[in-house]
Amino acid sequence: MTSLDISPPLSAHQRIVSTDIDVLHDTVEPFAVGHDLQAIEPRVLLDGQVNALGLGAVNLVWVRYGGGGVVVDTPPTEGHFALCAPQAPMGVEYRTTRNRETAGGHLVLSHDEAMRMRPHATRGCLVIATSTGRLADHLSGHLGRDHTAPLRFHTTGPAIAEPSIIESTWRYVCAILDTAAVRGGLHPLAARSLEDSLLTAILLGLPHTGTASLAEEPGRAPHHLAGVIREWVEAHHHRPIGVSDVAAAVGVGVRQLQAICQDQWGMTPTQLLRGVRLDHARAALTMALPGPRTVSDVAEAAGYLHMSRFAAHYRQRFGETPTETLRRRRARSGDAGSAVEPFHVRAEAVSRPAREACERPVRRR
């Protein structure tokens, strides 16, 4: 098998195939960062391809230049963030220090130094790009407070998680995106989840100025907010929200939200949100008329991309498959639901702050 036989990332999101270096450059740059290209062998015709899409505030672009290859020159990224995941060893030179290396798994473009790279001509390179501001907002959401120091990434040093979390996450995200494209598109709930996954993997798998803050023990969780959390999730479950949105809405960090959910209900915030969506999916199925896409439409509305995963979570929660619920329809929905144990909120009445939280709009950090 040759390198051309290997399906590249984002195959379902092809933007262009071209032999023109300027066309390739102009297609890549809006999804990546500013850069210049120079053909290594100008007389050899390029055979380039660009696959790309935006996922919220995160862009993903895979590019292959073909021919004799190219040299990529990038200025300091400053307020932008770009991570290169070369699909084969890639030569790298830092233009100020003259340091040279061969990049394998991933490489973060320097904030303050120009770089020169030689990606593999046929295997190409995937670039994940966003702003450091978006990453800083994601970090602040996790901490539950602003991270005042400028967010900068280091070439060496300890990280919270193993660096492999980055590759495993982008490969998973790309596979989901390709699958969703074949099925007609990605539901906004799933898109937000994938965006958050990439941002989280970057913050955990790379050393940066916020690593020490991430390693700190979270502050004491204000458990009186349990009712507020539950009601806000109920009010906004149908929107493309994630765990960070729930935390921001009630004014705590993600780690504090995790502690509250674990102490109050013995589950993670993700499980809480999933459970609420499954409850509403069940309600929708008991009211729906059977049709060829009824179950899949309900699953997509609950944020599921894979029917098998929806069916497994549904059966685990309700003791029957979505199709079995649909067959019962309205006549037997009361009997079917009587044996289901719902989520419980503590007996105290929901306070005025809870009602106010439910009225707050979803905030995007």
Side-chain angles (χ1 to χ4, degrees):
M1 179 181 292
T2 68
S3 59
L4 291 175
D5 297 323
I6 300 174
S7 180
L10 306 174
S11 296
H13 301 273
Q14 184 180 112
R15 293 282 170 167
I16 200 168
V17 173
S18 177
T19 60
D20 189 315
I21 193 169
D22 292 327
V23 170
L24 294 170
H25 170 274
D26 293 346
T27 305
V28 170
E29 192 164 79
F31 292 96
V33 293
H35 64 283
D36 293 321
L37 293 180
Q38 179 181 346
I40 296 175
E41 299 180 37
R43 294 183 180 180
V44 178
L45 194 67
L46 297 180
D47 177 24
Q49 178 179 331
V50 179
N51 303 339
L53 84 162
L55 191 63
V58 179
N59 289 331
L60 299 101
V61 55
W62 172 84
V63 57
R64 176 201 74 214
Y65 294 102
V70 300
V71 172
V72 183
D73 286 308
T74 60
T77 58
E78 298 179 341
H80 295 281
F81 171 89
L83 180 143
C84 297
Q87 303 302 286
M90 177 176 73
V92 178
E93 179 185 351
Y94 294 84
R95 303 294 283 165
T96 301
T97 60
R98 299 296 180 182
N99 291 334
R100 296 187 179 187
E101 62 180 68
T102 300
H106 60 257
L107 170 77
V108 176
L109 298 190
S110 175
H111 294 295
D112 49 23
E113 187 173 359
M115 298 175 65
R116 172 166 288 182
M117 292 160 285
R118 295 172 181 251
H120 193 278
T122 56
R123 296 291 297 276
C125 182
L126 177 77
V127 179
I128 303 171
T130 186
S131 67
T132 53
R134 180 66 182 92
L135 284 164
D137 286 345
H138 195 69
L139 173 62
S140 296
H142 186 78
L143 297 175
R145 55 181 171 80
D146 288 338
H147 180 71
T148 56
L151 184 61
R152 291 292 183 267
F153 289 82
H154 309 310
T155 55
T156 60
I160 299 297
E162 292 295 322
S164 58
I165 189 176
I166 296 173
E167 180 174 355
S168 60
T169 301
W170 72 251
R171 287 192 182 279
Y172 169 77
V173 168
C174 288
I176 291 293
L177 292 172
D178 281 342
T179 301
V182 174
R183 296 181 178 180
L186 192 66
H187 193 280
L189 293 177
R192 181 61 195 278
S193 177
L194 295 180
E195 178 192 3
D196 284 349
S197 295
L198 286 169
L199 295 170
T200 299
I202 289 168
L203 290 174
L204 294 180
L206 295 173
H208 51 79
T209 52
T211 299
S213 297
L214 282 174
E216 295 174 357
E217 289 294 327
R220 184 178 178 181
H223 292 86
H224 67 278
L225 292 176
V228 182
I229 293 168
R230 170 66 185 188
E231 283 218 342
W232 194 90
V233 170
E234 283 283 1
H236 297 87
H237 71 90
H238 59 287
R239 302 182 67 180
I241 60 171
V243 172
S244 60
D245 296 303
V246 180
V250 299
V252 298
V254 171
R255 292 183 297 179
Q256 290 180 313
L257 177 65
Q258 291 169 338
I260 295 171
C261 291
Q262 188 61 47
D263 290 348
Q264 295 294 305
W265 303 301
M267 64 183 69
T268 67
T270 298
Q271 290 170 328
L272 171 66
L273 185 56
R274 179 197 303 156
V276 170
R277 286 171 172 160
L278 284 171
D279 287 346
H280 284 272
R282 181 176 176 82
L285 287 172
T286 60
M287 298 292 290
L289 294 175
R293 282 193 52 84
T294 301
V295 174
S296 59
D297 286 345
V298 169
E300 289 176 6
Y304 283 85
L305 290 173
H306 298 294
M307 286 302 301
S308 59
R309 184 168 297 178
F310 173 65
H313 287 165
Y314 190 97
R315 187 183 186 93
Q316 182 182 34
R317 184 166 179 78
F318 303 115
E320 64 181 11
T321 67
T323 302
E324 289 170 342
T325 299
L326 184 62
R327 287 172 182 165
R328 295 176 184 274
R329 296 186 59 192
R330 298 183 63 178
R332 299 182 61 188
S333 62
D335 294 336
S338 61
V340 175
E341 181 180 351
F343 278 27
H344 293 288
V345 180
R346 299 225 167 170
E348 61 264 27
V350 178
S351 62
R352 179 180 175 184
R355 294 192 297 273
E356 292 175 348
C358 289
E359 295 170 357
R360 295 174 193 162
V362 178
R363 291 187 290 175
R364 290 285 184 266
R365 289 185 174 272

